[in-house]
């Protein structure tokens, strides 16, 4: 489940080591930089980028899974994580289990029945997040955290990397939760160190959060404008709302219009909130007018099975 992990080890974490003199000896592709009179040496270690100055060593912008397994299409077990950090410690000659974790990506590859874009169309809003549909995938952004859904095979082709045999000709949806900083505050845990990553309790926490955050996304269901379901005035009113929502381009499009009207001052905060609640109530599964989408039911099951296979 772990992928990209950034580490920072400072002079306060380890004694008796001259970072700037000793660490570059273990790196390739070396380059030196001068930042306001401070010497910084950068290099790589088997695909991981390393930055060194007198006060700290940073390991960043690379997949720990790819560093250890050769590909991030594998699933990192806790034992793998422990051994990967031990290997990183041996190769840098540093106690990386003491390093602070400044970024952590938790993700999995899901082999789906349909092309990945089908699922994007049925993943709606997420509270306190900006939903951004991009050519590269679907993103939910908020402070220090990003949720990502994207076509893994497409990404591999764009990078010129080979697609493993088990994924060739298949639809592979990658779902990642990226913690971009302040992990202790976001996860409400003590400072996260290298050794924390192979702690069972912490691992179970981030895997469970990966699931619960997915569940919190408002799903876009199938709408059926069918007069056969009209039994009373309430049903008639609901059918009218559904017809308006469909005419506006769907649930997300109409909610975006409401947000735009609020931003322009044409609606108060309460008016906008009431309208969005009414839209969401109208499209909630009920009485055959709105039914759960089959692709989302499939994705729900795939993600649950993934978590069931990971929780310790």
């Amino acid at each position: 489940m772990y992928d990209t992990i950034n580490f920072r080890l400072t002079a306060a974490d380890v004694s008796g080591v001259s970072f700037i003199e000793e660490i570059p000896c273990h790196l390739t592709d070396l380059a030196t930089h001068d930042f306001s009179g401070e010497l910084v040496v950068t290099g790589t270690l088997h695909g991981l980028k390393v930055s060194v100055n007198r006060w700290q060593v940073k390991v960043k912008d690379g997949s720990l899974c790819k560093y250890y397994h050769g590909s991030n299409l594998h699933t990192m077990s806790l034992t793998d994580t422990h051994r990967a950090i031990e290997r990183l410690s041996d190769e840098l000659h540093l106690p990386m289990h003491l390093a602070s974790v400044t970024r952590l990506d938790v993700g999995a590859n899901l082999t789906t029945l349909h092309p990945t874009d089908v699922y994007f169309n049925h993943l709606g809003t997420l509270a306190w997040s900006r939903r951004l549909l991009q050519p590269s995938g679907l993103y939910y952004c908020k402070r220090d955290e990003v949720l990502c859904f994207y076509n893994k095979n497409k990404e591999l082709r764009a990078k010129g990397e080979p697609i493993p045999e088990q994924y060739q000709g298949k639809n592979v949806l990658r779902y990642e939760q990226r913690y971009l900083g302040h992990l202790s505050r976001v996860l409400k845990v003590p400072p996260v160190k290298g050794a924390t990553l192979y702690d069972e309790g912490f691992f179970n926490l981030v895997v469970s959060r990966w699931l619960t955050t997915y569940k919190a996304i408002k799903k876009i269901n199938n709408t059926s404008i069918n007069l056969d379901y009209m039994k009373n005035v309430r049903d008639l009113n609901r059918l009218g709302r559904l017809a308006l929502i469909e005419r506006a381009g769907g649930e997300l499009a109409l909610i975006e219009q409401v947000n735009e009207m609020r931003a322009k001052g044409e609606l108060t905060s309460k008016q906008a909130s009431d309208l969005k609640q009414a839209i969401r109530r109208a499209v909630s599964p009920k009485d055959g007018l709105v039914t759960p989408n089959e692709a989302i039911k499939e994705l729900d099951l795939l993600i649950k099975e993934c978590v069931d296979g990971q929780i310790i």
Side-chain angles (χ1 to χ4, degrees):
M1 297 289 287
Y2 293 142
D3 191 14
T4 296
I5 303 174
N6 289 357
F7 300 94
R8 183 179 68 242
L9 190 72
T10 69
D13 298 317
V14 57
S15 60
V17 178
S18 173
F19 289 159
I20 201 70
E21 293 181 1
E22 299 180 33
I23 306 308
C25 301
H26 311 302
L27 308 178
T28 58
D29 306 315
L30 292 175
T32 58
H33 315 269
D34 187 320
F35 291 105
S36 302
E38 182 70 43
L39 175 64
V40 176
V41 179
T42 59
T44 60
L45 180 68
H46 304 303
L48 300 176
K49 293 182 180 179
V50 182
S51 174
V52 185
N53 64 21
R54 288 186 299 162
W55 313 110
Q56 64 183 1
V57 176
K58 292 182 179 180
V59 180
K60 57 183 182 178
D61 300 337
S63 166
L64 188 70
C65 183
K66 189 173 183 179
Y67 163 78
Y68 184 71
H69 282 297
S71 167
N72 66 350
L73 292 173
H74 294 270
T75 299
M76 289 279 284
S77 67
L78 281 191
T79 300
D80 289 341
T81 302
H82 196 169
R83 289 174 178 170
I85 292 174
E86 286 182 336
R87 174 182 162 187
L88 185 60
S89 298
D90 290 342
E91 294 191 328
L92 287 175
H93 297 264
L94 291 171
M96 296 305 294
H97 65 285
L98 300 177
S100 297
V101 176
T102 57
R103 170 176 172 166
L104 175 63
D105 290 5
V106 179
N109 301 308
L110 308 167
T111 302
T112 59
L113 295 175
H114 309 287
T116 55
D117 289 354
V118 170
Y119 303 88
F120 300 162
N121 294 334
H122 291 279
L123 294 170
T125 56
L126 177 64
W128 314 112
S129 301
R130 289 182 296 120
R131 181 185 186 276
L132 300 173
L133 182 59
Q134 303 288 331
S136 57
L138 176 62
Y139 300 84
Y140 294 87
C141 305
K142 61 181 178 179
R143 183 183 177 190
D144 297 323
E145 190 175 345
V146 177
L147 222 61
C148 311
F149 296 87
Y150 60 91
N151 184 326
K152 186 62 182 178
N153 282 352
K154 181 179 178 181
E155 182 203 47
L156 291 174
R157 286 193 293 269
K159 292 181 177 180
E161 297 182 13
I163 297 175
E165 184 177 352
Q166 68 267 33
Y167 290 136
Q168 289 178 9
K170 296 183 178 179
N171 303 304
V172 183
L173 176 64
R174 177 77 177 179
Y175 165 41
E176 286 181 356
Q177 189 164 27
R178 300 174 181 173
Y179 300 100
L180 304 180
H182 302 97
L183 273 71
S184 180
R185 176 182 59 77
V186 174
L187 296 170
K188 298 180 176 59
V189 296
V192 180
K193 303 290 186 177
T196 310
L197 298 176
Y198 44 87
D199 174 80
E200 289 185 6
F202 179 80
F203 181 76
N204 288 344
L205 168 68
V206 295
V207 173
S208 296
R209 198 172 186 274
W210 182 83
L211 171 63
T212 57
T213 306
Y214 166 77
K215 286 183 174 180
I217 298 172
K218 179 72 172 62
K219 308 307 188 294
I220 307 299
N221 297 301
N222 295 330
T223 301
S224 174
I225 309 298
N226 189 339
L227 294 181
D228 291 340
Y229 291 107
M230 185 174 62
K231 306 300 181 185
N232 51 47
V233 173
R234 180 180 296 177
D235 289 343
L236 176 62
N237 290 335
R238 188 152 178 258
L239 277 168
R241 289 184 183 182
L242 288 172
L244 173 62
I245 292 168
E246 290 297 294
R247 183 176 179 181
E251 176 187 349
L252 289 176
L254 188 53
I255 287 177
E256 185 58 36
Q257 289 182 42
V258 172
N259 289 335
E260 185 176 330
M261 292 173 70
R262 171 68 187 96
K264 291 179 178 178
E266 297 171 2
L267 294 172
T268 66
S269 294
K270 185 178 186 310
Q271 287 172 330
S273 178
D274 288 347
L275 285 171
K276 287 188 284 188
Q277 286 183 23
I279 294 167
R280 289 172 180 136
R281 282 196 300 269
V283 299
S284 62
K286 182 182 178 183
D287 301 335
L289 297 175
V290 177
T291 58
N293 177 261
E294 290 300 320
I296 287 299
K297 289 170 67 175
E298 176 210 355
L299 189 56
D300 289 348
L301 181 60
L302 288 173
I303 287 178
K304 183 180 183 303
E305 288 176 345
C306 182
V307 170
D308 288 345
Q310 291 295 315
I311 291 292
I312 298 171

